[in-house]
Amino acid sequence: MAISKKIVLKFPGSLVERPIVYRLIKDYDLEFSILKASIAPNEEGLLVLELKGERQNYKKGIEYLKSIGVEIQPLSQDVTRNESRCTDCGACVISCPTDAFEVDPKTREVKFISEKCIACELCIKICPPRAMELHF
Ligand code: SF4
Ligand code: SF4
C-alpha cells in the first residue's frame, strides 16, 4: 500500500553535500516534493519533504536516513510562543531558517509568524527565557 507523509529532516553539516534524496529515489523507489530547504547558521541542514511510496520502501528509506545520522520528525509537531515570557530580545530572529520571526521597525517587538515555522527547534534552544515551546 502506498503512503505519503510530510517529514522534517535535520542533518549535520558533514551530510549536507551527500546525495541523500537521490538515494531515496534510486534505492527505495520513493517520490518526494521538497516543501522547504535551508542550511542553518550552524550549518545544520534542514529539509521539509513530502515523501511517497510503498509502505515497505518508505520504512526502509527512513531506516537508511536514520542509519547515516539524519534526524527525522513528523511535520505535525507544533511550536508555539508563550507570549508572557517573550522579552523581544531578538535572539531567535537570526537563528530561524524560515524567517518565522519579524521585528517591528517602530516598536522593536518580535512577532512570531507560526505559519512559516517548520518545527526545527532551533529557537527553542536559543531563546533565553524559554518562551518557545514544542508540543507533540
Ligand atoms: S522552530 Fe523556531 S527556528 Fe525553527 S522554524 Fe520554527 S520558529 Fe523558526
Ligand atoms: S529569543 Fe525568545 S525572548 Fe527573545 S525575541 Fe525570540 S521568542 Fe522572544
Side-chain angles (χ1 to χ4, degrees), residues 8 36 48 73 75 77-80 96-101 112-124 132-134:
V8 181
K36 269 175 191 157
V48 184
Q73 67 189 49
L75 193 58
Q77 278 187 354
D78 196 20
V79 170
T80 60
C96 177
T98 62
D99 296 327
F101 297 97
F112 173 47
I113 305 146
S114 61
E115 297 76 28
K116 288 188 174 182
C117 175
I118 58 167
C120 72
E121 300 177 38
L122 284 174
C123 61
I124 292 173
M132 301 306 294
E133 297 171 351
L134 183 67

Side-chain angles (χ1 to χ4, degrees), residues 75-89:
L75 193 58
S76 53
Q77 278 187 354
D78 196 20
V79 170
T80 60
R81 183 164 73 173
N82 182 332
E83 298 298 335
S84 65
R85 284 194 170 191
C86 177
T87 59
D88 296 307
C89 71

Side-chain angles (χ1 to χ4, degrees), residues 36-117:
K36 269 175 191 157
S38 69
I39 306 290
N42 60 1
E43 295 194 347
E44 185 182 61
L46 278 165
L47 209 50
V48 184
L49 289 182
E50 182 168 13
L51 210 52
K52 292 180 198 169
E54 290 300 315
R55 184 177 292 277
Q56 280 306 317
N57 290 344
Y58 181 89
K59 273 178 74 178
K60 284 181 194 162
I62 295 292
E63 278 162 19
Y64 156 70
L65 291 173
K66 286 182 179 167
S67 74
I68 59 169
V70 177
E71 270 183 60
I72 301 160
Q73 67 189 49
L75 193 58
S76 53
Q77 278 187 354
D78 196 20
V79 170
T80 60
R81 183 164 73 173
N82 182 332
E83 298 298 335
S84 65
R85 284 194 170 191
C86 177
T87 59
D88 296 307
C89 71
C92 54
V93 179
I94 48 164
S95 69
C96 177
T98 62
D99 296 327
F101 297 97
E102 273 177 13
V103 182
D104 185 307
K106 285 188 186 150
T107 63
R108 309 305 298 166
E109 270 178 43
V110 177
K111 289 183 197 161
F112 173 47
I113 305 146
S114 61
E115 297 76 28
K116 288 188 174 182
C117 175

